[in-house]
């Protein structure tokens, strides 16, 4: 997700473009083409979000609906992937309570990363109510992204070398929060560091984007000890890694400021990864995260290079997944 204002300026400046050009060529290039079909007819490959919404995270559950969190006021917006139409389904708590990453579970809940509010929040999708709020971290904490596993929701902190674990009980109820310090190969920079998070293909560990270590790496994190081990992806570096999306053994890494998605095939343990493709699209305007429905990826354009106003336009684009 996004970082400090200084980092934002860097991301959209000449240094970012130079870094993109310096990234190594990958095995294949996938570009947006065609129109997906859901039952009922063709589905849009681009649709608008409310003006001024400031999207960052996206989540898609078992039905063809996407959920988006707002950095402006923390609202959650739900859009139909069949039509592109949507509405706010959870009112935000105000400008001091933004929503960055978010994920669904299988029991009608959304888990929200509260960015600079230092909050983990849980939303009941039936009512739209925020049912639980957990303050975490300390001054300077930025709760960025989240992944849901069978027994916990894990959150990254972009300014602290630690993860937050929100326990999930056998009945699906959220429980207590604990903090897991990161060690091993983890490198914490003076600024924005941790970003997206996913599970390993075998489900035994976590993958976290470290945008500082050796020019930008993926780290495999032991959820019991916090020990981080760099994922061997050869010469590939991911200095602008944002959201992570794992489908089977294929990991999609959204590199927001350079408008690309790097596609990596991981081994089961998440120790090694082979870059297999790059997804680009002229409609990308600093996409931050990705979610999947069928054979399509959906990415919200955060437009961090554009000063946010109540009239600023935001949208979502869809591109084919890589198989």
């Amino acid at each position: 997700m996004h970082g400090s204002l200084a980092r934002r300026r860097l991301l959209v400046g000449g240094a970012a473009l130079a870094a993109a050009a310096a990234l190594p060529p990958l095995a294949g290039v996938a570009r947006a083409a065609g129109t997906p079909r859901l039952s009922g007819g063709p589905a849009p490959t681009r649709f608008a979000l409310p003006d001024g919404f400031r999207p960052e995270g996206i989540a898609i559950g078992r039905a063809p609906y996407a959920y988006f969190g707002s950095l402006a006021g923390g609202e959650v917006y739900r859009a139909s992937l069949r039509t592109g139409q949507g509405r706010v389904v959870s009112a935000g708590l105000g400008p001091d309570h933004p929503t960055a990453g978010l994920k669904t579970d299988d029991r009608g809940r959304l888990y929200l990363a509260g960015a600079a509010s230092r909050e983990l929040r849980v939303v009941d999708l039936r009512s739209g109510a925020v049912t639980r709020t957990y303050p975490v971290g300390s001054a300077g904490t930025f709760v960025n992204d989240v992944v849901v596993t069978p027994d916990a929701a894990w959150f990254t902190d972009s300014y602290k070398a630690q993860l937050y674990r929100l326990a999930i009980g056998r009945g699906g109820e959220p429980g207590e929060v604990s903090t897991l310090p990161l060690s091993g190969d983890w490198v914490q920079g003076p600024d924005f560091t941790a970003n997206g998070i996913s599970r390993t293909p075998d489900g035994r560990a976590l993958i976290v984007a470290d945008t500082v270590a050796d020019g930008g790496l993926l780290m495999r994190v032991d959820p019991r000890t916090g020990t981080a081990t760099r994922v061997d992806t050869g010469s590939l570096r991911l200095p602008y890694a944002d959201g992570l999306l794992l489908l089977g053994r294929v990991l999609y890494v959204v590199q927001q400021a350079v408008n690309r998605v790097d596609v990596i095939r991981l081994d089961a343990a998440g120790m090694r990864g082979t870059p297999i493709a790059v997804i680009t699209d002229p409609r990308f305007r600093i996409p931050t995260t990705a979610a999947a429905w069928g054979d399509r990826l959906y990415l919200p354009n955060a437009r961090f290079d554009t000063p946010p106003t109540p009239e600023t336009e935001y949208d979502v684009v869809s591109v084919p997944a890589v198989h």
Side-chain angles (χ1 to χ4, degrees), residues 46 259 283-287 301-304 313-315:
R46 176 184 177 275
N259 290 315
R283 300 170 300 166
F284 285 170
R285 297 187 293 177
I286 309 187
N301 279 316
R303 303 191 68 190
F304 288 153
E313 296 179 353
Y314 295 98
D315 64 353

Side-chain angles (χ1 to χ4, degrees), residues 43-101:
T45 59
R46 176 184 177 275
F47 54 86
L49 295 174
D51 290 353
F53 187 75
R54 298 180 61 195
E56 193 158 49
I58 180 175
I60 298 175
R62 292 185 173 182
Y65 294 93
Y67 298 88
F68 304 90
S70 169
L71 289 173
E75 300 89 347
V76 175
Y77 181 87
R78 188 184 79 167
S80 166
L81 301 181
R82 303 178 191 277
T83 66
Q85 300 299 308
R87 62 184 179 89
V88 171
V89 294
S90 179
L93 302 180
D96 293 332
H97 303 271
T99 296

Side-chain angles (χ1 to χ4, degrees), residues 9-269:
R9 295 189 188 101
L10 172 64
L11 292 181
V12 299
L17 297 178
L23 288 170
L26 301 186
V29 176
R31 298 182 183 274
T35 301
R37 288 188 175 273
L38 298 168
S39 58
T45 59
R46 176 184 177 275
F47 54 86
L49 295 174
D51 290 353
F53 187 75
R54 298 180 61 195
E56 193 158 49
I58 180 175
I60 298 175
R62 292 185 173 182
Y65 294 93
Y67 298 88
F68 304 90
S70 169
L71 289 173
E75 300 89 347
V76 175
Y77 181 87
R78 188 184 79 167
S80 166
L81 301 181
R82 303 178 191 277
T83 66
Q85 300 299 308
R87 62 184 179 89
V88 171
V89 294
S90 179
L93 302 180
D96 293 332
H97 303 271
T99 296
L102 71 167
K103 291 293 186 296
T104 62
D105 67 7
D106 295 331
R107 298 177 174 89
R109 296 184 183 88
L110 274 176
Y111 292 83
L112 313 184
S117 72
R118 297 172 43 207
E119 294 170 344
L120 320 181
R121 297 193 294 273
V122 183
V123 168
D124 182 341
L125 286 176
R126 298 171 185 84
S127 65
V130 176
T131 59
R132 300 290 295 270
T133 299
Y134 301 83
V136 295
S138 56
T141 284
F142 188 98
V143 187
N144 198 325
D145 208 352
V146 54
V147 65
V148 176
T149 70
D151 62 357
W154 290 90
F155 297 78
T156 57
D157 186 333
S158 291
Y159 290 98
K160 311 284 183 180
Q162 57 197 27
L163 303 178
Y164 304 109
R165 181 184 186 272
L166 171 54
I168 298 175
R170 291 184 178 181
E173 287 296 325
E176 300 302 315
V177 173
S178 58
T179 300
L180 181 71
L182 297 173
S183 60
D185 292 339
W186 186 264
V187 177
Q188 183 67 33
D191 197 352
F192 192 88
T193 302
N195 212 318
I197 183 170
S198 78
R199 301 175 72 192
T200 55
D202 64 10
R204 296 181 179 180
L206 303 166
I207 301 287
V208 181
D210 184 330
T211 62
V212 172
D214 196 16
L217 297 174
L218 300 174
M219 294 287 180
R220 181 188 187 275
V221 176
D222 186 322
R224 297 167 300 172
T225 66
T227 302
T229 304
R230 63 183 291 168
V231 179
D232 181 4
T233 55
S235 61
L236 178 65
R237 294 296 178 267
L238 303 162
Y240 307 108
D242 201 321
L244 305 182
L245 172 66
L246 183 69
L247 300 178
R249 291 194 180 184
V250 176
L251 182 71
Y252 296 86
V253 183
V254 183
Q255 290 221 73
Q256 45 142 295
V258 289
N259 290 315
R260 60 186 273 167
V261 180
D262 286 88
V263 188
I264 301 167
R265 181 168 286 116
L266 298 172
D267 65 4

